[in-house]
Amino acid sequence: MYERLKTRYAHAFAETESIAREHRLTLQLPDGSECTLDRRELNEAEIAVLSQLFDENVPSDVIDVGDQSMYNWLKNSQEPPASINAYFPLRFVYIHIPAGKNDMNGAEEALPEIFPGTVSLFWLSAQDGVLIQTIDEEFDETPSLASVVDTLASDLYTKSAICAGSPVSSMREMYDRFQLEIHLYETIKPWFNKKAAFSEQEMTLFYLIKFIPEHSLQTSMGWIRDVKNDPSLTDSVRTYLQSNLNISSAAKQQFMHRNTMQYRVDKFIEKTGIDIKQFPNAAVVYILLSVLDLQKHDHD
């Protein structure tokens, strides 16, 4: 991708430090790398197209970072804000808004409504924000992350991505957890165009998948080759695995009779030879189905 851009826009490519900050167009590429172009060498249409195809990275010192004290602590290792002690336990929620800073004001109004108990919101870039949500007696996990993405889309008129972190209960744990989760978040960002909602466990899972060699993935996918083109079966099995191998719970989520769900689980076992009623096998199949989701998105 980098080489194709460099060939197409060779006249605009330059070393970052050789361009004044206000003239830089810094793009985040799908593989996680960046490239910088000189805005003065591009027309408005080219800038608009490039900004739509790739995320534009804006340095934090030229955007309003929101909660400055929280940003300074978690990003710059300065003194932590004393007020945060009143809000434990809490969690981080990471938000990616492709349209960038044009939607920041709208996001700052919408996000606290979508995530009740928001105690802080700061921005890492023009596209990436971090919300801190307290987990108190009013905390509600009922809305799925996918439904949150849909709500944001209706409020901001753009499709965003949401990653929800794990609960933390102390300031020391909070700082360390942010460093871990933000690393996971930055690594899986290239997949946001394929999957827009990640739980804390999924962030880790997709982080690990990213580093599995492609030939190893393709070899492993052979285990489910006889079912991968049967979406009704794989969707049911995925729900079963996400329901902690509980047939009744999975059937309820899929709005089907318990016997139908049992039939599909048994059919999957028969076709693949993998007994997903056993946890180790279930864990492997869940990973393979996650890879299958990514591959489907690639072909859509």
Side-chain angles (χ1 to χ4, degrees):
M1 181 63 71
Y2 179 87
E3 293 302 325
R4 290 172 62 187
L5 281 172
K6 193 169 183 179
T7 299
R8 174 64 179 80
Y9 298 101
H11 61 289
F13 263 75
E15 294 297 325
T16 301
E17 299 306 319
S18 69
I19 312 173
R21 191 181 298 276
E22 64 269 21
H23 298 313
R24 296 175 192 168
L25 177 65
T26 302
L27 305 174
Q28 178 84 33
L29 303 183
D31 63 1
S33 63
E34 294 180 355
C35 68
T36 300
L37 293 85
D38 190 333
R39 291 176 179 271
R40 296 168 298 181
E41 301 295 331
L42 302 167
N43 59 44
E44 291 185 5
E46 289 174 324
I47 292 174
V49 169
L50 288 168
S51 297
Q52 284 293 320
L53 291 176
F54 309 99
D55 292 338
E56 178 184 354
N57 284 352
V58 178
S60 60
D61 60 349
V62 299
I63 66 170
D64 178 3
V65 300
D67 188 338
Q68 186 75 56
S69 61
M70 194 64 66
Y71 177 90
N72 287 340
W73 174 42
L74 294 171
K75 285 295 291 179
N76 299 328
S77 301
Q78 297 183 15
E79 286 296 314
S83 60
I84 200 64
N85 277 314
Y87 301 113
F88 291 107
L90 49 76
R91 70 173 181 173
F92 294 104
V93 180
Y94 306 88
I95 307 102
H96 179 72
I97 304 175
K101 56 185 176 181
N102 292 334
D103 281 320
M104 274 192 176
N105 291 334
E108 288 175 350
E109 294 178 6
L111 288 169
E113 295 292 328
I114 296 172
F115 293 97
T118 294
V119 297
S120 178
L121 176 63
F122 61 94
W123 298 93
L124 304 173
S125 72
Q127 290 83 29
D128 302 293
V130 181
L131 178 148
I132 299 176
Q133 181 185 29
T134 188
I135 302 175
D136 55 19
E137 62 276 4
E138 297 181 4
F139 179 75
D140 184 11
E141 285 188 295
T142 302
S144 68
L145 291 178
S147 69
V148 169
V149 170
D150 291 339
T151 301
L152 267 179
S154 63
D155 287 347
L156 303 180
Y157 305 105
T158 184
K159 186 174 182 180
S160 304
I162 297 285
C163 297
S166 300
V168 295
S169 56
S170 70
M171 189 165 286
R172 175 57 186 272
E173 182 186 4
M174 181 181 177
Y175 181 86
D176 292 343
R177 181 63 58 77
F178 174 79
Q179 307 308 319
L180 169 62
E181 289 181 348
I182 200 62
H183 177 66
L184 298 178
Y185 172 82
E186 292 293 343
T187 303
I188 66 173
K189 275 175 66 175
W191 281 335
F192 286 171
N193 63 327
K194 304 173 185 177
K195 180 176 171 62
F198 292 81
S199 67
E200 64 272 27
Q201 297 89 355
E202 287 177 318
M203 275 202 289
T204 301
L205 172 60
F206 281 81
Y207 175 86
L208 294 173
I209 289 173
K210 185 173 177 63
F211 294 101
I212 299 175
E214 182 64 25
H215 71 276
S216 298
L217 278 180
Q218 295 309 317
T219 298
S220 300
M221 292 300 288
W223 287 105
I224 60 171
R225 65 175 177 270
D226 293 332
V227 298
K228 66 180 183 179
N229 294 320
D230 186 344
S232 63
L233 181 59
T234 54
D235 287 348
S236 294
V237 168
R238 184 183 297 103
T239 302
Y240 168 70
L241 299 177
Q242 292 172 337
S243 302
N244 299 316
L245 315 188
N246 186 302
I247 289 287
S248 297
S249 176
K252 184 177 180 181
Q253 291 186 54
Q254 290 255 305
F255 304 101
M256 65 176 61
H257 193 278
R258 185 184 187 282
N259 289 346
T260 303
M261 177 61 70
Q262 183 67 65
Y263 168 78
R264 292 188 178 182
V265 169
D266 291 341
K267 182 179 179 183
F268 181 92
I269 294 172
E270 178 185 348
K271 284 198 158 196
T272 63
I274 306 173
D275 184 359
I276 53 175
K277 297 175 185 178
Q278 305 299 317
F279 177 77
N281 297 338
V284 171
V285 168
Y286 187 74
I287 293 172
L288 296 179
L289 292 179
S290 297
V291 174
L292 182 62
D293 280 345
L294 293 176
Q295 293 179 342
K296 283 182 178 178
H297 282 293
D298 280 335
H299 293 118
D300 289 343

